Amino acid sequence: MTSLRKLSVTFCMLFTVFYSLAQEQKGSISGTISNGNGNLLSFSTIYIDELKKGASADDLGKYMLEAIPAGTYTVTVSEIGHYSQKETVSLEAGQNLRLDFVLKENITALQTVEITGRKEKNYKNTSSFVGAKTEIALMDLPQAVSYATKELIADQGVMRIGDVVKNFSGVNQNTFYDDIIIRGFRVNGQSNTQLLNGLRTSTGFWKQPLTNYLERVEVLKGPASALFGNASPGGVLNRVTKKPLDEERHSLSFSTGSFNTLRTLADFTGPLSKDKSLLYRLNIGYENANSFRDLQFDKNIVIAPSVSFLPTDKTRVNFDLIYNSSKSRLDRGQSTFKNDLYSTPVSLSLSSANDYLDEETYIVTLALNHQFTDNFSFSASFIRTGYHEDLLEHRGANKYAVDGNGDDIVDLIAMQVFQRQRKRYIDNLSTFFNYKTQTGAVSHNLIFGYDYAQEELPAGSSQLQAGGYRNAANDGFINTYNPNNSSAYLLDANGNPVPNVAHYDLNNRIASQQLKDMSKYFYNAREFGPDFYNSNGVYIQDQLTWKQLKMLIGLRYDTYTDKLNYTTNEEKNVNQHAFLPRVGLTYSITNNINLYGTYVEGYNPQSAANMDPTLGGPFDPLTSKMVEFGGKSTWFDGKLDATLALYKIVQENTLYNVAGTDELEQIGEEESKGVEMDVTGRIFPNWSITASYAFNESSITKDADGNETGIQKPNTPKHQGNLWTRYNVKQGIFKDFGLGVGTNFVTERVLQQNSDQTIPGYTLMNAALYYQINKFSIQLNINNFTNKTHWVGGYDYIRLFPGSPRNYLLTVGYSF
């Protein structure tokens, strides 16, 4: 046994020696990958054909292939938008070879529609399609763009657009809804001016869509009508969906936290064929969460598959589907005692227990890009949005209850009930040719395009509405109470009019929120539609480059047709049209500093509904113009970007509600001017940061009669800012841990035109703790950890939208 034991030990020792010697004989290949401009190419693919072995470069463009036997090999490097490069190398035993690659841009592979995915894994984004239709470096775009990548969104643990836009200068929430303010001008999801992958679409407005399927959220500041037709003068919000990648990536995450939140997300992507001509991506999300608001909840299911087909290096096709099923209640906001902001808790909601909001949305996109030659290409994209709403809500009537004398009862809110069903279908076709040419020393990037958009509200969309006060016969209701004609109303023992829908008692909210007997109300019926509109737009754009100077010029012509009394014998076309110019200059002072200036005009036609004389119409279209100057720069070898913008926007003919009526009036002129700063990127490889600040003076400068005024625009703070930073520990006892901290603030805001009601400014503090080991990650987010009472927006003290108190979210993730 002793001899056998000695023999075994000797064999093991020899095996170890031979194995070590064999390992020592293996070498490695490492280096960096960059493009012709000196920019490092993150996450490029490196592959050794003979060994069927590969790797990806990191976010700094560095790669390493290890444990390579001696021999002669073909090393292939590939990256989307660049020519693949092959190198034949001979590796000696144990040699560590340094091999750098410089890839040449491939014009035929550069996408003029956003079809292939972004591989970066940080807060920084270098290019966009929203500013010029084709891909353009943000440094060269003569207009400010704010953005948040999926990495920043994930680090902050947010799931709603309203939480994402707090990272943007000059952008703030207006309500709980899909409803934001950009540079003092309102943009909401129902206006059909928001974009998805650069195409016009819409949301249901009442609920903000989830962000789990988004690659990034970006805002192009200022009027975008010259590119996309009618749009808000403040800017346009574009949601960019995650696209398939040519490498395998899979992730799962589970989150739980405050307000009984449960959330599960999945993201899978990779090639479906060996030659990587067919790629896929699948995002799935499930959310079941309550709220700090009484009776509020959200149940969401999101399924978002995407497929890219790349049959040749000249043709690319992408298919996207986003399906969202949402069950919730509609939250109309907090009400307070008259002129007393802090008189009720921020949790107070006017909903009843039997209220519901069921929404179903699908968005289908098909995009094609074909390169005829190296300099001539064609792009076409089609998007269809379908939306269905089924709603029952108890909500305030936007006023206090009244007594027999017509005076307000300040602890009772007048109520109304809506039961509504409606559908909306939106189609948008965008086509353009892209031609690159040279005239002498000037290069041109020309675009000739045509856009078509339409929206239909089909027959059957309708609403039952109950509200007001019961008539004397108690067989119907009258919308408003007139004390001079009290005999027309049913009065109680105290001589007060009897409401059709019981008032909400601010002193007894529990009783006011109980189940209601819907059969006890008297209803009026109201039709929604059928409605139909379409628009046609043609445009031309040229990006000229001469040495350090770039010029972006464009002209668009739009026609807009709205069918009044659609599908009836009284159907009538309401036609409007506009010419929209755009001129921008960018000058490169150095390789990392550009100055720019731009002038652009905007246009937004009035809908057919706003032509109704009973509402005060017809009204003129909204017109706007903007002048903007600024600078853009990059620092730390392109790892950190900074933008400074100074702007002035003037809009005419904005509509506002006439107080106490359903009528509208047209304001003569609004003006918004200010300064914005954005910084995004990395200071060091393990230290990321995003910061913004905006000063904005936004006011109504001329009233409906053309008189000079200085009224501050509603929900528009003069100052706002944001800071978020994440630091990852690379060594020591806290290795693999990360810490994120952030703050955002806004100053005081006016709630309504001609009102002295305001909501105070606030500063919120947020933090996150991260731990990652191998493929597992744990993340804890604590938001508003000082538990600051605040309001993100509102209309008045009957319709306030409070922000969340202190809350936490714990997320466990696995990537494979």
Side-chain angles (χ1 to χ4, degrees), residues 24-138:
E24 290 176 1
Q25 298 305 308
K26 292 187 177 181
S28 66
I29 303 174
S30 63
T32 61
I33 304 170
S34 61
N35 61 18
N37 298 324
N39 296 320
L40 297 174
L41 297 177
S42 305
F43 310 111
S44 302
T45 302
I46 307 94
Y47 193 75
I48 298 178
D49 297 355
E50 293 80 3
L51 298 178
K52 307 299 181 185
K53 181 176 184 177
S56 293
D58 63 16
D59 56 349
L60 299 178
K62 297 178 181 179
Y63 75 93
M64 175 171 284
L65 296 165
E66 298 181 288
I68 305 173
T72 300
Y73 303 104
T74 302
V75 181
T76 302
V77 178
S78 60
E79 170 64 17
I80 292 172
H82 298 77
Y83 288 103
S84 297
Q85 187 172 328
K86 293 181 180 287
E87 289 285 345
T88 301
V89 298
S90 295
L91 195 68
E92 298 178 2
Q95 181 183 3
N96 296 316
L97 178 65
R98 170 82 182 197
L99 185 61
D100 295 332
F101 290 89
V102 179
L103 303 185
K104 182 181 178 182
E105 287 188 343
N106 180 1
I107 297 176
T108 65
L110 287 174
Q111 295 306 290
T112 50
V113 290
E114 197 143 9
I115 288 181
T116 49
R118 167 185 171 272
K119 291 186 177 181
E120 290 83 354
K121 297 180 179 179
N122 55 57
Y123 294 176
K124 187 173 177 290
N125 185 54
T126 56
S127 62
S128 176
F129 293 77
V130 72
K133 287 284 189 176
T134 63
E135 185 178 36
I136 186 172
L138 292 177

Side-chain angles (χ1 to χ4, degrees), residues 72-217:
T72 300
Y73 303 104
T74 302
V75 181
T76 302
V77 178
S78 60
E79 170 64 17
I80 292 172
H82 298 77
Y83 288 103
S84 297
Q85 187 172 328
K86 293 181 180 287
E87 289 285 345
T88 301
V89 298
S90 295
L91 195 68
E92 298 178 2
Q95 181 183 3
N96 296 316
L97 178 65
R98 170 82 182 197
L99 185 61
D100 295 332
F101 290 89
V102 179
L103 303 185
K104 182 181 178 182
E105 287 188 343
N106 180 1
I107 297 176
T108 65
L110 287 174
Q111 295 306 290
T112 50
V113 290
E114 197 143 9
I115 288 181
T116 49
R118 167 185 171 272
K119 291 186 177 181
E120 290 83 354
K121 297 180 179 179
N122 55 57
Y123 294 176
K124 187 173 177 290
N125 185 54
T126 56
S127 62
S128 176
F129 293 77
V130 72
K133 287 284 189 176
T134 63
E135 185 178 36
I136 186 172
L138 292 177
M139 281 283 291
D140 296 334
L141 180 65
Q143 214 161 327
V145 174
S146 293
Y147 62 84
T149 63
K150 65 179 184 298
E151 289 77 20
L152 174 60
I153 294 171
D155 281 357
Q156 294 183 344
V158 297
M159 265 293 120
R160 298 293 191 274
I161 294 294
D163 294 317
V164 174
V165 300
K166 68 185 181 185
N167 296 287
F168 303 160
S169 61
V171 185
N172 60 281
Q173 279 188 261
N174 187 54
T175 62
F176 288 147
Y177 316 139
D178 191 10
D179 185 17
I180 61 175
I181 302 287
I182 305 176
R183 289 184 172 178
F185 296 92
R186 187 178 181 187
V187 177
N188 66 66
Q190 201 171 20
S191 63
N192 194 18
T193 59
Q194 290 195 16
L195 304 178
L196 183 76
N197 298 323
L199 298 168
R200 298 166 67 87
T201 184
S202 175
T203 67
F205 176 62
W206 305 121
K207 294 291 179 177
Q208 299 178 31
L210 298 179
T211 60
N212 65 296
Y213 58 88
L214 296 183
E215 178 66 42
R216 67 180 180 274
V217 178

Side-chain angles (χ1 to χ4, degrees), residues 322-341:
I322 302 167
Y323 173 81
N324 183 19
S325 176
S326 172
K327 296 183 181 299
S328 64
R329 287 195 179 99
L330 178 51
D331 189 351
R332 292 287 187 170
Q334 171 198 4
S335 295
T336 70
F337 291 90
K338 198 168 187 178
N339 295 323
D340 190 350
L341 181 61

Side-chain angles (χ1 to χ4, degrees), residues 755-768:
S755 170
D756 57 359
Q757 291 185 339
T758 63
I759 48 178
Y762 59 85
T763 299
L764 303 183
M765 303 297 297
N766 308 305

